[in-house]
Structure formats: structure tokens, C-alpha cells
Amino acid sequence: EFVYNGFANANLSFEGEASIDERGRLGLTTGLDIVGVGHAFYRYPISFRKTPSDPAMHSFTTSFLFEMTSLYEHYGSTPGSDGVAFVISSTNKFLNDSLLPGPYLGLFNMSNRSSASRNILAIELGTIMNPKLNDIDDNHVAININSLISVNYHTAGFYTPDGGFQSVRLNMEQVFQLWVDYDGKAQQLNVTLGFPGSPKPKYPLLSNTLNLSSLLPSELFVGFSASTSTLSTRHFILGWSFKTNGEASQLNYSAFQAAGNTKESDWEMNCGPPSFTYKDLVSATGGFKDKMLLGKGGFGRVYKGFLPASKQNVAIKRISPESKQGTKEFASEVTILGHVRHRSLVRWSQRFCIIKSVASGLFYLHEEWEHVVIHRDIKSSNVLLDDAMNGRLGDFGLARLHDHGVDAHTTRIAGTFGYIAPELARLGKATKAADVFAFGVFMREVTCGRRPVEVNACGEPQVLADHVINAWQDGSIMDSRDPRLEDCVAQEVEMVLKLGLLCSHPSPKVRPGTRLVMRYLENVATLPDFPLNFFNADPANDEVYDQFVASVAAATISLSGGR
Ligand SMILES: *[C@@H]1O[C@H](CO)[C@@H](O)[C@H](O)[C@H]1NC(C)=O
Ligand SMILES: *[C@@H]1O[C@H](CO)[C@@H](O)[C@H](O)[C@H]1NC(C)=O
């Protein structure tokens, strides 16, 4: 038996992103990685039988408080994150298993997602719909045994005393309580969802007759697993109690509420000074005058403002009452931006690392996940940097803020001015090749330290690709790099610049796939030579392109043949 009202001194073992935060919460995923997994288990195995050979399994009860926070708006059925599970398992080590996170909850991968040898009971709180796993929706509670194909499942919610059903949304930054009760004699497993501080609903959400004795050995680990993919989500466990042969202790919810109430000041602390009064902001924007309006989004409006004290031009985001983004999402967005935005100069080795990490995120979206995800809005302002200078592909409400000049032309469907592939502008169809085009633009931005389109001294727009091609024409493509890049490896810069041009080649069929892009960046494959005129969008070049594509395809086949 154990009870944790907060995890500061808990006897847990961790894997992946799991850790205890300063408020004593167990965070399973950080929400900062595109793909993340976290495990936390009670450190010691628990005996579930009187003697190892006893056919009867102990009864047990457990209950825990959890909270899931998606850091982004949800776009309909956008594949995203993932979920959290309470787990009883013969092992507490999963990450040596070439695990594929995401829709597999951090417990299974493609090859073992259904295997009797796994010895896992997982109570899944799933917030992704994976039709291949027979998921009913993207907001469900399920019982899984040795497999992600559930034994029983139900849309998240609870039964009211009169027998009616009340559904709830799991990943809306709300704290829920889950009870899991197993009666060893009756061989009945009940799962009940409810709100902390309220009585446990009388009728379970799920109830199954299960002989766990035939499925699980006697020594087992108990704990939690969570995973994220593509859309960042944070998963927290706030408190947990467990007992065999008896009723697990009540959790002390008032302690968590008290902690929760400090949230706002917490947020202020995280964001740090300066802070402003509403009056300051009204006067900075001339009373939120229309002529100060920079842009509008789903969240509200962004105004230009001037702060007389510091003589700074600033952008001020004002949440509208009809905003789809809640105050808490806004707070977490500001917290993230407060942490990741900085003006320090990024050295080349770090820039190369950023390019590679974004390429690998894109490769995951295009090739590794079980559905193809077209990002549609790859650009530098949608790339976050973590403290190890890894680039993370995100999609932020504030992105528009950085692009205020072109805001009116920015839609999620069309992408962003400067990053739109010619065929996308013509046909309006988002493809992997169009993502690769935008990634090519991004590579150039990072290497040259310029925006995709800049206005030159004569007031004419200058496309960054032309700047690179011109430098190449003049004899040194290296001259187009950011002059502040001193300690760079010339071959790497040259390769990245040429690969960037290839990625945003006018003809989509010439652009490499993300798998090949990764190979070039990791120096496993050599970028083929191509002449300068290769980048002209001249239909007469079609034959040249076809030959090129065929030769790359041949090289790729021979490469993968060696594996
Ligand atoms: C499961 O729920 C049913 C219906 O409320 C109840 O009769 C039974 O005692 C419960 N079993 C356990 C193990 O909680
Ligand atoms: C449950 O499984 C155990 C182990 O396989 C078996 O010995 C026992 O008879 C089963 N109980 C029932 C009621 O089927």
C-alpha cells in the first residue's frame, strides 16, 4: 500500500521525459518534444498473489489524479497526442525496446503491439484516434491487455446517479480522477472516471469480468506511461494511491487545489518581468485603435504599441471574448515563448543541428508516423529551440505576430508568403513536396541569416534563392552565407545551400523526399552535382530533370540495398 499526495519524495523509477516538477507533480511528458515518451513506476515490484503458484490473484484498488494539457489549438481530427495509461506490467523498462511512441502510448511498437508475452494491463486515457487500433474516438478510456486493441472502451465521461451519461474532454487542462478496482474473487475489473473532490461515481465507466490470474504473473510493477506525437501535450499525475486487498487511501485534493491556486503567480514567475497594467497597454496602443492593428487570428487581435518609458515598439496581443484560445493556453504559450525566444547569435554547428532536427521532425511527419502528415506551414517562426538548441517544429498562434507584414495573406491552408511552392500556389494542393519546398527556404534562412524575401536598398523585393544562385554564379556560393558565421565547416555550408536549392526546386518531382534529405544531412549519401541552370523553371529542362530523378533514384536504391 502507498499513497502520494504529490511526488516530491516518492519512490519512483523514471524513463524518458518523466520527472517531478518543483510543485511535486509527476510530469510524464514535457510537451517540448514533437515525439516524447515518459514512464514512471513505483520502484519496487508488488506481489499480486499469496505465493507465486497461488492461482488466485489479489484484489487491488488504485486511484490517481491526472491532467493533460495540449499546448495548441485542436484542428478537428489533427493527428496529435497520444495519451496516458495506468500500467501494471512485468517490467518497468520499456525504452530499450526500440519503442515507437505516439499512438502506442509509449508501451508498444509496431511489431509487439499485440503480443501475449508482454504481460501488460494498461488502463488507457486516449486522446488520439487510431482507426488501425479500432479506437472509437480521440477521447476515450479503455482497458488493454497485452495489446493496444482494447478489451473494452468508452468515450470519456461518467454515469450520473440517475444512470445518465455525462461526457468530458480529457485534454483540456482539467484535473480528473480515475479509479481502477479489481476484485480477485469475482474477477471483476472496474474503471471509473470522475472529478477530484467529488464522490466517486456509483457506476463504473467500464466493467469487465477478467481472470487477470491467467494473464499476469505474480510479481508486477505499477505505474504510468505517456507519449506525445506531432502536437505537444503535457501529461501530469498529481496524486496516486494504491493498495492490494483493500481500499486505497483517499487522495487529499485540497492540497492540490491550494497548489493550483498559485498557478497564476507561477505563470508570472515563469514569464518574469516586465509586466504592465492594462492602462499601460491602452495608452501604448492609443486605446487599441484600428490603425495600430497588426493582425488577427483565432485568438484575437495583435496591435502595435509604443512603450514611452523604454522607447520600445512592441506587439500586444489582445484575446477576444470569442477567442478559441483560452486564458490558460494563452498563458502556456506566453510561458513557452518567454523561455525559448532569445536574440543570441546561433553558431553554425548549432544552426546545422537545428536544420537536422527540423528535418528529422519533418521526416517523422511524412514517413514514420502511420498517417502522412503534411505540415503546410514550415517556416522559421514555427521552429522552437530548446535549451540544447534542438529545433522543434511547432505551430504557434503567435507565428502571425512575426509576419505582420504579410498577415492578411496568411492562412493555414495556403501557408506563408515566401514559403509557398509554385505548384501549391497554382493548384492549391498541399503535398509532401510542398513541405520540402518550404523546408528548403528554411534551410536558406538559417544559413544565410536572411528572410525568404527582403526588400533591397532600391526598394525591390529580393528572393533569397536568387541571392544564393547569384553568389554561386559569381563563383562562390559560400559568399551568400550569413557573414556572422565564422567557425563553420565550408563543405557543410555549401552542401546545405545546394540542398536547400534542390529542396525548393521549381519542379516538385526533382525535390528529394525527407528520407533522402536526412541522408544528405547526415552525410550518408552524397549530394549529386548539378549545374546552375538546373534551377531554371524552363519546361525545356524536363528531360534533364527526369534523368536527374532517375539517377538519384538509382543511387538511393543501391544505398538502401546495402542495409
Ligand atoms: C464494479 O461495479 C459494479 C457496479 O457498480 C459493482 O457491483 C461491483 O462491486 C464493482 N466491482 C468492483 C471490483 O469494484
Ligand atoms: C483463472 O486463471 C487461473 C490461471 O490460469 C486458473 O487456475 C483459474 O482456474 C482461472 N479461474 C477461473 C474462474 O477461470
Side-chain angles (χ1 to χ4, degrees):
E1 171 178 18
F2 56 83
V3 53
Y4 293 126
N5 286 302
F7 292 92
N9 300 308
N11 253 323
L12 302 180
S13 65
F14 302 103
E15 272 190 333
E17 298 183 348
S19 67
I20 309 298
D21 72 7
E22 68 285 352
R23 277 168 42 193
R25 299 181 300 180
L26 166 58
L28 291 165
T29 57
T30 57
L32 292 176
D33 279 321
I34 297 166
V35 177
V37 184
H39 297 128
F41 281 85
Y42 184 66
R43 188 179 291 279
Y44 311 104
I46 289 174
S47 175
F48 277 78
R49 291 164 214 242
K50 246 190 242 136
T51 63
S53 56
D54 189 343
M57 189 100 169
H58 287 328
S59 298
F60 65 86
T61 58
T62 189
S63 150
F64 60 92
L65 305 180
F66 68 94
E67 180 179 343
M68 302 191 207
T69 310
S70 174
L71 298 180
Y72 308 103
E73 281 178 56
H74 292 269
Y75 300 99
S77 62
T78 304
S81 296
D82 29 76
V84 57
F86 168 73
V87 179
I88 299 185
S89 158
S90 54
T91 177
N92 60 354
K93 303 250 183 314
F94 290 89
L95 287 190
N96 50 10
D97 212 0
S98 66
L99 193 94
L100 192 67
Y104 305 102
L105 286 174
L107 293 172
F108 299 87
N109 61 32
M110 277 304 265
S111 55
N112 71 11
R113 68 182 178 191
S114 176
S115 147
S117 63
R118 297 286 292 173
N119 294 320
I120 296 177
L121 167 70
I123 310 300
E124 170 188 346
L125 300 155
T127 49
I128 189 169
M129 176 165 176
N130 191 333
K132 282 193 190 157
L133 302 174
N134 302 345
D135 283 347
I136 42 166
D137 58 21
D138 63 354
N139 184 50
H140 55 266
V141 181
I143 300 173
N144 299 326
I145 294 175
N146 298 335
S147 165
L148 276 179
I149 311 278
S150 306
V151 175
N152 195 1
Y153 42 78
H154 201 292
T155 294
F158 54 88
Y159 290 102
T160 51
D162 60 8
F165 180 70
Q166 174 67 52
S167 67
V168 296
R169 182 84 209 165
L170 290 173
N171 60 351
M172 294 297 270
E173 199 169 8
Q174 175 151 26
V175 180
F176 293 104
Q177 184 161 6
L178 195 83
W179 291 263
V180 180
D181 303 300
Y182 182 67
D183 181 332
K185 272 214 189 70
Q187 302 191 334
Q188 187 174 39
L189 181 71
N190 286 358
V191 178
T192 313
L193 183 66
F195 292 109
S198 312
K200 176 181 173 186
K202 190 163 163 225
Y203 303 108
L205 180 63
L206 300 170
S207 181
N208 273 64
T209 305
L210 285 170
N211 187 353
L212 288 185
S213 182
S214 64
L215 299 164
L216 299 172
S218 71
E219 298 275 299
L220 292 161
F221 290 93
V222 294
F224 300 92
S225 176
S227 65
T228 61
S229 56
T230 61
L231 281 183
S232 289
T233 305
R234 287 189 289 180
H235 299 98
F236 291 109
I237 309 293
L238 287 78
W240 180 26
S241 67
F242 178 93
K243 185 174 175 140
T244 52
N245 292 326
E247 191 74 22
S249 300
Q250 296 269 338
L251 294 168
N252 175 5
Y253 184 59
S254 51
F256 303 112
Q257 269 176 321
N261 284 341
T262 66
K263 192 150 202 161
E264 257 164 310
S265 48
D266 222 55
W267 165 44
E268 259 175 33
M269 243 162 56
N270 281 338
C271 293
S275 59
F276 304 93
T277 64
Y278 184 69
K279 219 169 125 194
D280 291 338
L281 303 183
V282 169
S283 80
T285 55
F288 293 104
K289 273 214 180 69
D290 272 355
K291 77 172 212 279
M292 305 298 269
L293 188 65
L294 295 172
K296 288 187 240 181
F299 49 81
R301 293 160 172 243
V302 177
Y303 293 86
K304 186 174 168 181
F306 180 73
L307 301 173
S310 55
K311 297 194 170 44
Q312 268 179 315
N313 280 309
V314 294
I316 297 174
K317 176 170 162 175
R318 190 192 203 193
I319 311 174
S320 61
E322 60 275 16
S323 165
K324 283 190 241 104
Q325 187 185 35
T327 315
K328 285 180 174 176
E329 288 97 324
F330 177 67
S332 63
E333 182 177 319
V334 173
T335 306
I336 291 171
L337 291 175
H339 280 299
V340 297
R341 299 268 299 148
H342 50 80
R343 294 184 173 277
S344 64
L345 188 65
V346 181
R347 283 181 320 186
W348 169 253
S349 57
Q350 291 170 330
R351 294 194 201 195
F352 192 47
C353 165
I354 292 163
I355 288 173
K356 281 200 275 196
S357 47
V358 172
S360 98
L362 194 58
F363 173 57
Y364 177 80
L365 293 179
H366 282 184
E367 310 291 341
E368 284 196 304
W369 204 63
E370 66 187 84
H371 304 283
V372 174
V373 179
I374 312 287
H375 187 281
R376 292 184 180 152
D377 208 4
I378 292 160
K379 54 178 170 177
S380 51
S381 55
N382 273 344
V383 170
L384 284 174
L385 303 181
D386 66 14
D387 44 11
M389 284 293 173
N390 290 303
R392 310 286 185 195
L393 204 44
D395 175 3
F396 286 85
L398 276 190
R400 290 178 182 85
L401 204 77
H402 305 292
D403 303 320
H404 49 79
V406 293
D407 186 56
H409 308 286
T410 308
T411 69
R412 197 171 155 77
I413 309 299
T416 301
F417 179 65
Y419 298 86
I420 300 172
E423 80 281 4
L424 176 60
R426 223 170 35 240
L427 307 170
K429 194 166 175 282
T431 57
K432 287 198 246 182
D435 269 358
V436 169
F437 182 97
F439 178 68
V441 178
F442 166 76
M443 280 202 275
R444 267 195 296 288
E445 275 188 282
V446 173
T447 318
C448 304
R450 291 175 175 229
R451 315 229 65 198
V453 182
E454 282 188 0
V455 177
N456 69 10
C458 314
E460 297 154 345
Q462 248 212 323
V463 178
L464 185 50
D466 293 341
H467 169 72
V468 177
I469 289 175
N470 289 344
W472 193 357
Q473 211 150 26
D474 294 345
S476 172
I477 194 169
M478 279 291 282
D479 289 348
S480 64
R481 74 171 197 276
D482 188 338
R484 291 167 296 184
L485 278 181
E486 280 155 8
D487 59 341
C488 57
V489 183
Q491 291 103 310
E492 252 170 28
V493 177
E494 186 168 336
M495 187 272 286
V496 168
L497 286 169
K498 287 184 174 172
L499 179 58
L501 290 175
L502 194 61
C503 284
S504 34
H505 194 281
S507 169
K509 67 182 170 191
V510 178
R511 295 173 210 152
T514 44
R515 187 183 302 271
L516 193 53
V517 169
M518 286 293 291
R519 288 185 173 166
Y520 290 141
L521 289 174
E522 271 160 5
N523 207 11
V524 187
T526 311
L527 196 65
D529 278 327
F530 32 74
L532 244 174
N533 65 7
F534 191 70
F535 295 99
N536 301 341
D538 181 353
N541 266 339
D542 251 18
E543 204 176 308
V544 182
Y545 296 163
D546 284 338
Q547 279 170 12
F548 173 78
V549 173
S551 73
V552 170
T556 311
I557 288 163
S558 68
L559 234 157
S560 45
R563 293 206 311 168

